[in-house]
Amino acid sequence: MAKPIKETPVLRRVDAKNFRREMEANKDKSISPAEALKIRADYEKIRAISKF
Amino acid sequence: MPFDSFELIRLHPTHDFGEFSCGDNEGEKDLNDFLLTSSKSYQKELLAVTYLLVNKQETIAFFSLANDKISIKDHESTKSAWRRLTGSNIHYLKRRESYPAMKIGRLAVSHKYKKQGIGQAILNYLKQHFIDNNRTGCKFITVDAYKDSLGFYEKNGFKYITTSDLKSDTRLMFFDLTLIYNAIQP
């Protein structure tokens, strides 16, 4: 039997602190234009073959 | 990798997987096992939906998705609970204790198709999909990643959620969709 998909725990103490810090830092960050183009291109490629 | 001859389909209860193997190490065996023996049960129980990248009868890759959330219990959330009770008018974003997310429960590429960018293309598809078709709100993509694939997810911008699973077979990671949202704003 395969391992069950792990549930995401409630974050406390240092995990909570790190997560809030990361989220705060990301507020004004973005991926590069080249990365954004690559993500968009891959999305369109797979969307085009999606059958649902 | 050309995708023209592939199709992305949602797993059907009667789907015949045929043969699928993403490899032979412990994690890979478990991924094979998940697809062949557990994916339909997760779907039947409405816990996760599996999608297959197929070429005719051959399974190229699969991924299983579930709703998720990242919840926080810390000093900030205690303060915000107090403010809510006392009716303080603090900005709603400041007092959140949980954030909506989508979890990639499992993702694997057949060993015959590895090193061709398929896994990354799937991740990118999901990232953009949850920006463009974000119907209910989704701020993070989380993943329950096998140890062998941690580098892959790190390379794709995922961070670790907790240090409590350092010794576990899988580790929980997250990607903040804000990074893409900010990049595409005019």
Side-chain angles (χ1 to χ4, degrees):
Chain A
M1 194 67 183
K3 285 187 180 67
I5 297 171
K6 207 190 282 174
E7 287 184 45
T8 304
V10 175
L11 304 185
R12 299 170 196 275
R13 299 186 193 90
V14 70
D15 290 336
K17 193 175 160 188
N18 290 341
F19 182 77
R20 282 201 192 275
R21 192 168 48 208
E22 183 73 28
M23 194 167 53
E24 188 63 28
N26 288 345
K27 267 187 186 171
D28 302 314
K29 272 203 234 167
S30 62
I31 55 170
S32 71
E35 282 177 288
L37 281 176
K38 168 85 169 97
I39 288 171
R40 168 67 67 183
D42 282 340
Y43 167 70
E44 296 295 350
K45 203 159 57 175
I46 295 185
R47 190 170 72 112
I49 59 163
S50 171
K51 301 294 175 195
F52 50 88
Chain B
M1 179 78 202
F3 281 67
D4 302 351
S5 58
F6 298 168
E7 288 185 338
L8 181 67
I9 60 170
R10 184 180 157 128
L11 176 62
H12 189 270
T14 61
H15 184 85
D16 178 7
F17 295 111
E19 285 182 18
F20 177 83
S21 174
C22 64
D24 287 329
N25 72 31
E26 274 312 298
E28 290 166 335
K29 278 186 194 166
D30 204 61
L31 283 163
N32 299 337
D33 199 23
F34 178 87
L35 178 67
L36 302 175
T37 67
S38 302
S39 58
K40 286 181 183 174
S41 311
Y42 270 85
Q43 201 149 310
K44 191 177 168 190
E45 297 292 328
L46 305 177
L47 296 174
V49 176
T50 295
Y51 297 88
L52 307 162
L53 192 63
V54 298
N55 186 4
K56 299 188 177 75
Q57 299 302 311
E58 185 180 21
T59 303
I60 312 294
F62 78 91
F63 52 95
S64 301
L65 307 181
N67 287 318
D68 197 11
K69 69 174 178 176
I70 299 180
S71 300
I72 309 166
K73 279 276 177 223
D74 63 355
H75 179 58
E76 286 301 311
S77 49
T78 309
K79 266 198 312 193
S80 67
W82 172 252
R83 283 175 182 139
R84 260 203 317 280
L85 284 170
T86 58
S88 170
N89 197 22
I90 190 167
H91 191 273
Y92 72 101
L93 285 176
K94 295 272 186 203
R95 46 176 214 218
R96 285 201 75 91
E97 292 163 29
S98 68
Y99 296 87
M102 180 279 293
K103 176 174 280 178
I104 303 172
R106 296 287 180 260
L107 186 163
V109 177
S110 164
H111 68 94
K112 283 194 263 177
Y113 292 88
K114 282 194 174 176
K115 308 282 182 199
Q116 296 181 44
I118 293 174
Q120 186 178 52
I122 290 171
L123 277 190
N124 287 342
Y125 166 75
L126 293 172
K127 286 173 179 177
Q128 193 69 53
H129 180 80
F130 279 89
I131 295 285
D132 285 8
N133 299 306
N134 195 350
R135 311 238 166 143
T136 58
C138 177
K139 188 171 170 60
F140 298 101
I141 294 179
T142 58
V143 62
D144 185 23
Y146 281 86
K147 285 219 156 159
D148 295 330
S149 58
L150 298 180
F152 166 73
Y153 287 105
E154 281 179 14
K155 202 178 83 181
N156 283 283
F158 282 73
K159 309 276 179 163
Y160 295 98
I161 290 179
T162 175
T163 51
S164 65
D165 58 4
L166 269 169
K167 291 181 180 169
S168 172
D169 293 333
T170 62
R171 291 203 65 193
L172 290 162
M173 302 176 86
F174 73 95
F175 179 86
D176 190 342
L177 289 169
T178 306
L179 298 170
I180 298 178
Y181 185 81
N182 287 347
I184 60 175
Q185 292 313 297

